[in-house]
Amino acid sequence: MRIPLIAGNWKMNKSVTEARSFIEAVQGKLPAADVVETAIAAPALFLQTMLDANRDQVLRVAAETCYYEDEGAYTGETSPKALHEMGIPYTIVGHSERRRYFNETDDVINRKVLAVLRNGMTPIVCCDETMGRRESGEKIHWVVNQVSAALKGVSLEDAAKIVVAYEPSWAIGSGTSASSDQAEEGCYLIRQTLADIYSDEVANGVRVLYGGSVKPDNIAGLMKRDNVDGVLAGGSSLDEHSFIQLANYQNL
Ligand SMILES: O=C(CO)COP(=O)(O)O
């Protein structure tokens, strides 16, 4: 059984004080982690404050990115080894904004996936799809290629632990989510790719999330779909009331 994962991605938003108040506000209001797992990925400089404020330990505090080396002369980068040592369980890798604004290539993303796994964390591997590619019918090829490239050299045992997120760029920050049919189609395609690369067993165990304008008023429809195991929410994860609603989508 795949436990749903409702994850937020704060991107470069909030101050440390705001991050702390958010964590305090959600204590006791999220579902038990063995029923619906919840996570917030935040800027590295907030993580320790968030961990300290997270008294009930239900919410997973996650990173938005990290470097692919464990340590060394890489000014400004975040070490996956240090993240693990802090107690961070998840790191997003390959978000479309990292690909677009920071020139992260499939090769860099693959190295980061390997580094996150090597350091005992779980990567949330993002897979992007542009509208141009969707309209030209190129989507299948594109999604399959990104998943395969990100997982190059990942063992079957490690592949079983990862999380993948289908995040069409045309739905990110647009206010208009993909329809539940489109989300299901993207997540199914990712699962099929995992089955082709690894096995049906791995594909059936991996959680595949949908991301792009997920809000309290559309999450229930998305979560009903067979291959959508959770969401990665940007804007609607910034407000604690809205995140609590997303986490409790089963009651909406
Ligand atoms: O990029 C996203 C999550 O990683 C989605 O962002 P929005 O929910 O703001 O569209």
Side-chain angles (χ1 to χ4, degrees):
M1 213 205 62
R2 302 189 295 263
I3 296 173
L5 174 59
I6 305 301
N9 172 13
W10 281 355
K11 310 191 180 186
M12 199 180 71
N13 290 297
K14 291 196 186 289
S15 65
V16 184
T17 312
E18 288 166 346
R20 186 190 299 110
S21 334
F22 179 103
I23 299 299
E24 283 164 359
V26 302
Q27 300 298 297
K29 305 210 170 97
L30 301 175
D34 57 353
V35 179
V36 174
E37 205 182 353
T38 50
I40 291 282
L45 76 168
F46 304 166
L47 297 178
Q48 191 59 57
T49 302
M50 292 168 71
L51 288 167
D52 292 344
N54 193 27
R55 292 182 311 277
D56 67 16
Q57 310 258 318
V58 171
L59 179 75
R60 316 293 192 213
V61 175
E64 295 179 10
T65 184
C66 66
Y67 197 48
Y68 53 72
E69 297 291 350
D70 291 356
E71 58 202 0
Y74 306 105
T75 303
E77 283 294 349
T78 301
S79 154
K81 189 175 164 199
L83 288 175
H84 175 65
E85 193 196 43
M86 285 171 85
I88 299 297
Y90 292 105
T91 300
I92 298 176
V93 178
H95 191 279
S96 59
E97 288 149 16
R98 299 292 316 171
R99 295 178 192 256
R100 189 174 334 131
Y101 302 126
F102 304 98
N103 304 319
E104 286 193 8
T105 59
D106 282 342
D107 177 55
V108 166
I109 290 159
N110 174 236
R111 288 178 195 220
K112 291 188 173 194
V113 167
L114 293 168
V116 168
L117 287 165
R118 177 176 76 236
N119 282 288
M121 295 184 289
T122 299
I124 301 177
V125 183
C126 294
C127 173
D128 172 19
E129 179 211 351
T130 62
M131 186 48 111
R133 289 201 149 93
R134 166 165 271 272
E135 283 170 346
S136 70
E138 211 196 307
K139 179 176 52 124
I140 292 193
H141 177 69
W142 180 249
V143 170
V144 169
N145 277 359
Q146 278 186 61
V147 174
S148 319
L151 300 183
K152 216 165 118 197
V154 173
S155 69
L156 189 128
E157 197 191 4
D158 277 346
K161 300 179 207 155
I162 64 166
V163 175
V164 185
Y166 169 62
E167 292 217 318
S169 344
W170 46 269
I172 294 180
S174 69
T176 310
S177 162
S179 68
S180 83
D181 281 349
Q182 288 167 330
E184 168 67 9
E185 184 192 26
C187 293
Y188 172 76
L189 185 56
I190 288 169
R191 203 176 303 288
Q192 282 306 111
T193 307
L194 293 170
D196 291 344
I197 304 174
Y198 295 100
S199 66
D200 285 346
E201 199 187 338
V202 167
N204 289 332
V206 166
R207 289 177 294 177
V208 184
L209 316 182
Y210 164 74
S213 298
V214 175
K215 294 177 242 156
D217 65 6
N218 60 23
I219 189 170
L222 293 161
M223 290 302 293
K224 281 201 186 101
R225 304 308 298 256
D226 289 349
N227 285 290
V228 179
D229 303 318
V231 300
L232 189 52
S236 67
S237 72
L238 289 168
D239 174 73
E240 51 260 37
H241 304 294
S242 148
F243 184 72
I244 291 166
Q245 282 186 297
L246 293 179
N248 292 288
Y249 71 91
Q250 287 168 331
N251 307 330
L252 287 173

